C-alpha cells in the first residue's frame, strides 16, 4: 500500500491518478473534514503543469466547469493610483492560466476518489523503517504500514525530516492577508476597482494585491520586507492613494501574518528506500504562482512512474526523483527572479517591463 501524507492539490492528484490505474493509496490529512477550514486564495493553473496534471487525472472537463477565464485579467498600478497596465481577457481567449478557488479544486479532486481513500484528522508524527516497509505513526497513537510513504505535507513537512535536516528559512518578506466577503454587495466601488482578476499596487517599500474569487469574495494581501517578529502593522504609508487605504480598511476577516519561507534553490536529498516527497515538501518556492502547479505535476509524474513499475516501487521512485528535482531547481531560479521583480522602489516599473515582454533575470 502507498501512504500519502497531506491532502492538498499534490497529494489528492497523486491519489486520483493512482486510483485510475487500480493502485491502492490512502491519503492521511490533518484537517478533520473537508469543511474544517477556509482553503485560501485562488489558484491560476498553468496549461503545461497544473492543467497537464488534471488531464492525466481525467479531470479536465470538470476543471473547466469551475475555471474562470476572466480571472486572467490584470491591473497594475503604482501607489499614487496611476494605472500602468490593464489587460482584459477576451471571452474567446485561451485558458492558459485560468483561476480556480482552492476549495473548488479540492472538492473536484476529493469527489474523484473513493470516500475511504482519505483519512481525516490524522496528524503525522514519525515513521520508522522495518525491513523494506515503513510504519507510519500519527499523533493520536494510530499507525499503519506501507510499501511507500509519500510526503505531500507542504512547507513545514514532517516527512521531509526522514530525508534531510535542512529546514525552510525566511525568504525576506512577510505577507499580511485578509479578505472582503460578498464584495459586489458589501463594497461595490472597491469590487469594481479590483475587477475580475488580479489587482497589483506597488509602492517604494511594499506591494498590495487583491484578487477576485469565484465565491464573490476578494482576497487582499500586503507584502512587507520585514520579519513578523519585529512587528508588522496593518496599514499603508500616508502617501498611498486613498482608495488603497479603503481597500485595506474594508477587509472583514482577521488579518493573518505569514512569513514567506523557502528551501534552497538546489535542495535535494540522498535517495532513501520507501519514502519520497512532492510539492512544497520537496521544493518550497517564493509564492509567484508555481507551487500548486508544480505539486500537481510532481504527483502526475510519480503516479506515472508507479504505474510503469507497480511491482517495483523502488524503481519507480528512482525514476521520479531525479527528473522532479531537476525541474524544481530550474523553476526555483525562475521563481526567485520573478520574486525579485516585486521588490525595491522600482518594483512597479520592473513588473511593467516584464508584462511588456522583458525576460526574467
Amino acid at each position: 500500500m502507498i501512504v500519502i501524507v497531506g491532502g492538498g492539490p499534490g497529494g489528492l492528484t497523486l491519489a486520483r491518478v493512482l486510483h485510475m490505474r487500480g493502485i491502492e493509496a490512502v491519503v492521511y490529512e490533518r484537517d478533520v473534514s473537508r469543511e474544517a477550514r477556509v482553503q485560501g486564495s485562488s489558484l491560476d493553473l498553468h496549461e503545461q503543469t497544473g492543467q497537464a496534471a488534471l488531464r492525466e487525472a481525467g479531470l479536465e472537463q470538470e476543471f473547466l466547469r469551475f475555471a474562470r477565464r476572466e480571472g486572467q485579467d490584470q491591473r497594475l498600478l503604482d501607489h499614487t493610483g496611476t494605472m500602468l497596465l490593464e489587460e482584459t481577457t477576451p471571452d474567446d481567449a485561451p485558458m492558459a492560466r485560468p483561476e480556480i478557488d482552492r476549495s473548488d479544486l479540492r472538492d473536484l479532486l476529493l469527489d474523484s476518489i473513493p470516500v475511504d481513500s482519505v483519512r481525516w484528522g490524522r496528524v503525522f508524527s514519525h515513521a520508522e523503517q522495518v525491513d523494506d516497509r515503513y510504519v507510519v505513526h500519527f499523533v493520536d497513537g494510530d499507525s499503519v504500514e506501507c510499501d511507500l510513504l509519500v510526503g505531500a505535507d507542504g512547507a513545514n513537512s514532517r516527512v521531509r525530516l526522514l530525508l534531510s535536516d535542512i529546514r525552510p528559512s525566511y525568504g525576506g518578506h512577510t505577507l499580511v492577508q485578509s479578505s472582503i466577503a460578498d464584495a459586489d454587495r458589501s463594497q461595490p466601488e472597491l469590487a469594481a476597482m479590483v475587477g475580475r482578476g488580479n489587482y497589483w499596487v506597488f509602492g517604494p517599500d511594499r506591494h498590495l494585491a487583491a484578487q477576485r474569487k469565484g465565491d464573490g469574495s476578494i482576497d487582499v494581501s500586503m507584502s512587507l520586507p520585514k520579519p513578523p517578529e519585529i512587528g508588522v502593522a496593518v496599514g499603508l504609508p500616508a502617501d498611498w492613494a486613498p482608495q488603497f487605504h479603503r481597500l485595506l480598511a474594508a477587509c472583514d476577516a482577521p488579518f493573518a501574518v505569514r512569513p514567506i519561507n523557502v528551501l534552497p534553490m538546489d535542495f535535494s536529498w540522498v535517495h532513501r528506500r520507501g519514502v519520497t516527497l512532492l510539492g512544497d515538501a520537496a521544493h518550497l518556492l517564493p509564492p509567484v504562482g508555481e507551487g500548486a502547479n508544480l505539486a500537481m505535476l510532481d504527483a502526475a509524474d510519480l503516479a506515472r512512474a508507479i504505474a510503469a513499475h507497480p511491482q517495483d516501487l523502488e524503481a519507480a521512485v528512482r525514476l521520479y526523483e531525479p527528473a522532479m528535482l531537476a525541474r524544481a531547481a530550474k523553476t526555483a531560479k525562475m521563481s526567485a527572479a520573478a520574486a525579485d521583480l516585486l521588490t525595491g522602489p522600482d518594483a512597479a516599473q520592473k513588473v511593467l517591463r516584464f508584462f511588456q515582454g522583458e525576460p526574467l533575470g
Side-chain angles (χ1 to χ4, degrees):
M1 186 179 70
I2 297 169
V3 163
I4 304 165
V5 176
L12 293 175
T13 299
L14 177 59
R16 162 63 181 178
V17 181
L18 290 175
H19 171 67
M20 288 178 65
R21 286 157 174 75
I23 299 170
E24 183 181 7
V26 178
V27 177
Y28 290 83
E29 165 57 38
R30 65 185 302 127
D31 286 350
V32 297
S33 72
R34 69 162 74 188
E35 298 87 11
R37 61 185 176 89
V38 176
Q39 289 300 303
S41 61
S42 182
L43 293 170
D44 58 320
L45 290 194
H46 306 171
E47 188 174 13
Q48 301 304 317
T49 50
Q51 291 186 55
L54 288 174
R55 288 192 293 273
E56 184 80 17
L59 296 172
E60 183 176 24
Q61 292 306 310
E62 288 83 350
F63 164 70
L64 292 175
R65 291 208 315 269
F66 290 103
R68 302 191 308 281
R69 189 191 314 267
E70 70 277 7
Q72 299 172 107
D73 287 5
Q74 300 180 106
R75 292 178 179 176
L76 171 66
L77 304 91
D78 68 19
H79 70 290
T80 70
T82 301
M83 183 76 73
L84 303 176
L85 177 76
E86 183 171 14
E87 294 182 347
T88 301
T89 308
D91 292 342
D92 60 350
M95 297 282 267
R97 294 189 172 196
E99 296 284 342
I100 183 171
D101 287 6
R102 286 179 183 267
S103 57
D104 289 337
L105 178 61
R106 194 186 206 194
D107 286 345
L108 184 159
L109 289 165
L110 283 169
D111 291 342
S112 73
I113 57 177
V115 173
D116 61 0
S117 294
V118 180
R119 306 284 195 271
W120 298 99
R122 297 296 183 86
V123 180
F124 176 83
S125 171
H126 64 283
E128 55 185 340
Q129 194 168 7
V130 179
D131 298 324
D132 290 337
R133 294 167 64 83
Y134 268 90
V135 178
V136 181
H137 297 270
F138 301 93
V139 297
D140 62 1
D142 197 8
S143 64
V144 62
E145 288 190 22
C146 64
D147 301 296
L148 177 63
L149 170 61
V150 181
D153 49 341
N156 298 313
S157 171
R158 293 185 179 182
V159 179
R160 188 196 297 130
L161 299 176
L162 295 169
L163 296 169
S164 174
D165 59 3
I166 295 176
R167 297 174 183 266
S169 60
Y170 179 60
H173 285 81
T174 297
L175 279 182
V176 179
Q177 299 173 301
S178 184
S179 61
I180 303 170
D182 194 9
D184 286 319
R185 182 195 61 79
S186 64
Q187 298 289 340
E189 291 185 8
L190 293 176
M193 179 183 81
V194 169
R196 306 185 303 174
N198 289 288
Y199 184 84
W200 290 294
V201 188
F202 290 90
D205 70 340
R206 70 193 68 197
H207 72 265
L208 181 68
Q211 183 184 50
R212 176 76 65 149
K213 291 178 64 177
D215 65 2
S217 66
I218 292 176
D219 280 342
V220 180
S221 65
M222 180 172 59
S223 178
L224 297 166
K226 60 174 68 176
E229 58 266 22
I230 69 172
V232 174
V234 179
L236 295 168
D239 61 346
W240 281 58
Q243 62 266 33
F244 307 137
H245 291 267
R246 291 199 297 272
L247 183 64
L248 269 186
C251 291
D252 48 25
F255 282 89
V257 178
R258 182 166 67 92
I260 300 303
N261 295 323
V262 296
L263 284 166
M265 286 191 287
D266 60 351
F267 176 73
S268 64
W269 58 87
V270 176
H271 171 80
R272 183 172 179 179
R273 186 181 186 92
V275 60
T276 193
L277 306 172
L278 63 78
D280 284 352
H283 41 70
L284 183 58
L285 311 177
V288 294
E290 300 294 340
N293 284 282
L294 214 54
M296 295 170 71
L297 189 60
D298 291 348
D301 286 352
L302 178 56
R304 193 182 301 113
I306 292 171
H309 301 276
Q311 304 305 317
D312 190 350
L313 295 178
E314 172 70 1
V317 173
R318 285 190 177 276
L319 179 64
Y320 157 75
E321 285 182 343
M324 179 273 292
L325 288 169
R327 177 175 62 219
K330 181 178 179 181
T331 307
K333 291 179 182 178
M334 181 193 70
S335 297
D340 183 64
L341 295 179
L342 310 179
T343 63
D346 58 342
Q349 293 303 317
K350 289 192 295 184
V351 174
L352 177 60
R353 290 195 297 270
F354 171 73
F355 282 138
Q356 292 173 337
E358 184 174 297
L360 287 172

